[in-house]
Amino acid sequence: MNPLPIPATSISPLRQRLIENMTMRRFSAETQRNYMRDIGRLASFLGRSPDTATVDDLHRFQMAQQEAGLGVPTMNAIVSALRFFFVHTIDRPDLARKLVRLRYPRSLPDVLSPEEVRRLLGAAVCLKHLAALSVAYGAGLRVAEVAALKVAHVDSTRMLLRIERGKGGRDRNAMLSADLLALLRQWWIEGHRQGVLHREGWLFPGQSWTRPISTRQLHRIVVEAARAADIPKRVGPHTLRHSFATHLLEDGVDIRVIQVLLGHAKLDTTALYAKVATRTVRAVVSPLDRLALFHGDEASPG
């Protein structure tokens, strides 16, 4: 993705250096926008350039955020942006160390059962929507990664989907199953017939074939399909990614392999799925059962 489309004449040297730092590390356009917005929060709070911030300024800024009722994830995202700015743009790691990252208990993600996934995919209103949702679930991609796929990223020889500049600006390969490839080939034939798919274009174009589908539109597609499938759970694009990881874990795939497929930098992030893998829990034999104390006892617990 290209750096933020801001005319060079309107950018201060500090802002330009920040953009160059982010572009050099291959941050996505969305990440760049988020970082610029969050660094701008500090500038607005100070009423002056953020590179003039002091330790006391940062303390007051974070206290003001908390008093304003900002959620912990939002506050931590701002910390990430400011730490990047202080460390890489103005070379003040001492200030970065003064920013407090808050801990909070992560709630377990909603996961669909295989049957619910089947119903959701069956409720897709067209081949394009079915293909996009199938990629999200079948390869475990983030919604932005689905939107950013190009036709050329489908590698049928090695049976891989090439993900360019995923989260953190990292490239990786995602899995491409035989069934998913067959579906994408159907979508290619139909999309090419409609004139919306081109060999050098987006795999899921938006209203114009020159631009990719938006993440907002993908979210709407998932929500509408879940509603049509009569699925009561709160469902979004990331639910399909959660379900992909959980179902692999329940099928006995090594958690480190799942980590690679998801593109997680830390195993701890992937390990969260062990808490929602119910089939895995049910498959474990309790040590009480191994004692065989109650075999033949016809009493029922209720």
Side-chain angles (χ1 to χ4, degrees):
M1 295 185 182
N2 296 323
L4 294 176
I6 304 172
T9 55
S10 66
I11 302 177
S12 69
L14 181 64
R15 187 181 178 93
Q16 181 63 38
R17 190 158 71 246
L18 171 61
I19 293 172
E20 290 172 355
N21 291 154
M22 293 189 292
T23 303
M24 187 184 307
R25 288 161 179 81
R26 306 183 69 184
F27 284 10
S28 69
E30 183 177 8
T31 299
Q32 291 194 35
R33 280 193 294 270
N34 291 341
Y35 273 33
M36 298 286 274
R37 178 200 62 209
D38 291 339
I39 294 166
R41 292 177 192 258
L42 176 61
S44 297
F45 175 80
L46 297 176
R48 61 182 193 275
S49 179
D51 63 338
T52 64
T54 65
V55 173
D56 182 60
D57 288 333
L58 297 181
H59 176 74
R60 290 189 299 105
F61 175 62
Q62 289 204 283
M63 288 298 297
Q65 287 181 309
Q66 198 165 41
E67 291 168 1
L70 265 65
V72 173
T74 300
M75 291 184 65
N76 285 343
I78 294 172
V79 167
S80 295
L82 292 179
R83 283 182 176 175
F84 181 88
F85 172 73
F86 289 132
V87 172
H88 298 288
T89 303
I90 66 171
D91 194 23
R92 290 291 307 274
D94 55 309
L95 289 178
R97 289 193 292 269
K98 298 300 181 181
L99 290 163
V100 178
R101 184 179 292 276
L102 303 177
R103 296 183 63 87
Y104 66 103
R106 290 191 61 180
S107 59
L108 294 180
D110 283 326
V111 172
L112 302 178
S113 69
E115 175 57 29
E116 286 173 326
V117 174
R118 187 178 295 108
R119 284 162 43 202
L120 185 142
L121 296 179
V125 298
C126 64
L127 187 57
K128 175 183 174 181
H129 291 183
L130 174 60
L133 298 184
S134 297
V135 165
Y137 172 68
L141 302 192
R142 300 176 178 92
V143 63
E145 294 170 344
V146 175
L149 281 174
K150 294 184 176 180
V151 173
H153 293 164
V154 181
D155 187 341
S156 60
T157 302
R158 296 191 298 159
M159 296 301 289
L160 298 170
L161 291 173
R162 190 168 73 253
I163 310 302
E164 294 185 348
R165 302 188 186 184
K167 189 172 182 179
R170 295 184 293 270
D171 294 350
R172 78 176 194 281
N173 291 321
M175 65 184 294
L176 174 63
S177 69
D179 283 356
L180 182 55
L181 176 60
L183 176 60
L184 291 178
R185 281 175 170 162
Q186 290 180 39
W187 165 232
W188 163 256
I189 293 171
E190 177 62 20
H192 193 60
R193 184 189 66 78
Q194 295 176 9
V196 298
L197 280 187
H198 302 268
R199 292 196 179 278
E200 301 303 320
W202 304 101
L203 184 58
F204 302 113
Q207 293 182 342
S208 166
W209 69 268
T210 61
R211 297 183 63 83
I213 191 171
S214 69
T215 56
R216 180 176 298 180
Q217 175 65 11
L218 284 171
H219 187 276
R220 186 158 50 245
I221 290 169
V222 176
V223 170
E224 290 175 354
R227 185 181 300 118
D230 197 25
I231 296 173
K233 297 175 182 176
R234 183 177 180 181
V235 178
H238 221 66
T239 308
L240 294 174
R241 177 172 161 88
H242 291 323
S243 301
F244 164 85
T246 304
H247 296 165
L248 285 182
L249 191 61
E250 291 179 335
D251 288 339
V253 178
D254 187 273
I255 195 168
R256 293 189 182 276
V257 174
I258 299 173
Q259 177 189 3
V260 173
L261 293 175
L262 292 174
H264 283 163
K266 297 180 180 179
L267 184 61
D268 287 352
T269 307
T270 316
L272 176 69
Y273 296 109
K275 298 181 180 180
V276 292
T278 56
R279 275 194 290 154
T280 301
V281 173
R282 292 198 302 268
V284 176
V285 178
S286 166
L288 178 65
D289 291 354
R290 294 190 183 280
L291 297 178
L293 295 177
F294 311 110
H295 284 194
D297 189 345
E298 296 180 356
S300 170

